[in-house]
Amino acid sequence: MPVQPKFDINELSALPLFRYTDTKELILKYPPRTAIFGRGEEMLAQGEVTRSFGILLDGTAAAYRTGADGSRVLLQTLSPGSVFGDVLSVSENIPSPVSVRACDSCRAVFIDRDAVFSDLGFMRAFSAQFAEKYFALHDRINCLVCRNLREKIIACLTVFSGEKGRAFNLPFDRAGFAEYVNADRSALSRELSRMKDEGLIDYYRNSFRIL
């Protein structure tokens, strides 16, 4: 079960979500709830209805959608500063379509949705988060609708790559990569090997280069 850690206001002040607002005034009016989660613990459950959104302060987490057959599809990886449950929190009693689970030890802060509407600066930054998530979802859909596994791999690597030929790191391991492209892990490994042999890509563990 999550435990209640101490909270430092400066951690929030440094985040983009608070760049247009007086953080101290906001959290005095809407005191946040903080929690520590162990690896594998749910930070937000699929089907849960909530009025608060979370901000990951430490650790890594992942958002999944679980199908009726128990299969999971990775939707998003979360790193420190990532916001989750934000769209859900401002909806009207809509159950969460995803679960968010800690990949390692995580510390998060949860803020009531009323804080969003109480401050114009906070609402501005909150809206910018929506826009960023829209485009991230657009990239994810572009990957999933590709006709074959190779196209999905190229689409995924293009999203996370920088300048062509320069190395970059994926934010997930091979199992997470397979879930991101909605493919079998063994099939993914075989296709990556073929692409490397053909001189299309180079990689070592989570470090990749598009050649």
Side-chain angles (χ1 to χ4, degrees):
M1 293 293 292
V3 298
Q4 296 290 328
K6 292 183 178 180
F7 178 73
D8 184 354
I9 187 175
N10 294 322
E11 291 180 288
L12 287 188
S13 298
L15 296 176
L17 193 58
F18 293 84
R19 62 184 178 271
Y20 303 124
T21 192
D22 184 327
T23 307
K24 184 176 181 180
E25 181 179 332
L26 187 72
I27 68 170
L28 283 175
K29 188 174 182 181
Y30 300 97
R33 174 176 64 88
T34 55
I36 290 177
F37 300 85
R39 178 176 179 146
E41 284 192 287
E42 281 192 333
M43 305 169 73
L44 174 67
Q46 187 168 326
E48 179 181 345
V49 175
T50 181
R51 285 178 50 90
S52 62
F53 60 93
I55 303 173
L56 189 63
L57 297 178
D58 296 309
T60 57
Y64 294 93
R65 183 177 179 87
T66 304
D69 60 354
S71 62
R72 295 192 311 177
V73 176
L74 176 66
L75 300 177
Q76 183 186 10
T77 56
L78 305 175
S79 56
S82 294
V83 179
F84 59 94
D86 44 349
V87 178
L88 187 68
S89 69
V90 296
S91 66
E92 291 299 328
N93 300 319
I94 296 178
S96 175
V98 304
S99 60
V100 176
R101 193 178 298 270
C103 298
D104 48 33
S105 180
C106 290
R107 187 166 56 98
V109 59
F110 296 86
I111 300 175
D112 190 273
R113 70 177 185 179
D114 287 344
V116 177
F117 305 111
S118 70
D119 185 284
L120 289 178
F122 196 67
M123 188 181 297
R124 176 184 174 187
F126 199 79
S127 298
Q129 290 272 162
F130 275 13
E132 290 172 11
K133 289 198 170 184
Y134 168 81
F135 289 111
L137 179 60
H138 183 269
D139 290 335
R140 182 84 169 89
I141 292 172
N142 279 345
C143 174
L144 292 176
V145 299
C146 288
R147 295 171 296 179
N148 55 56
L149 180 54
R150 177 167 293 200
E151 288 185 2
K152 288 181 179 181
I153 291 171
I154 293 171
C156 174
L157 294 180
T158 301
V159 168
F160 294 102
S161 68
E163 184 180 341
K164 185 176 181 180
R166 296 189 63 179
F168 59 94
N169 293 323
L170 291 181
F172 32 66
D173 59 15
R174 197 68 81 240
F177 194 172
E179 290 178 343
Y180 188 91
V181 298
N182 196 27
D184 176 77
R185 182 175 177 177
S186 297
L188 171 66
S189 295
R190 288 193 299 270
E191 188 61 32
L192 287 173
S193 228
R194 281 193 289 264
M195 293 174 70
K196 185 175 183 178
D197 291 342
E198 294 173 22
L200 298 174
I201 62 172
D202 190 20
Y203 64 90
Y204 177 71
R205 294 185 178 176
N206 290 347
S207 179
F208 284 80
R209 282 194 305 135
I210 300 176
L211 304 177

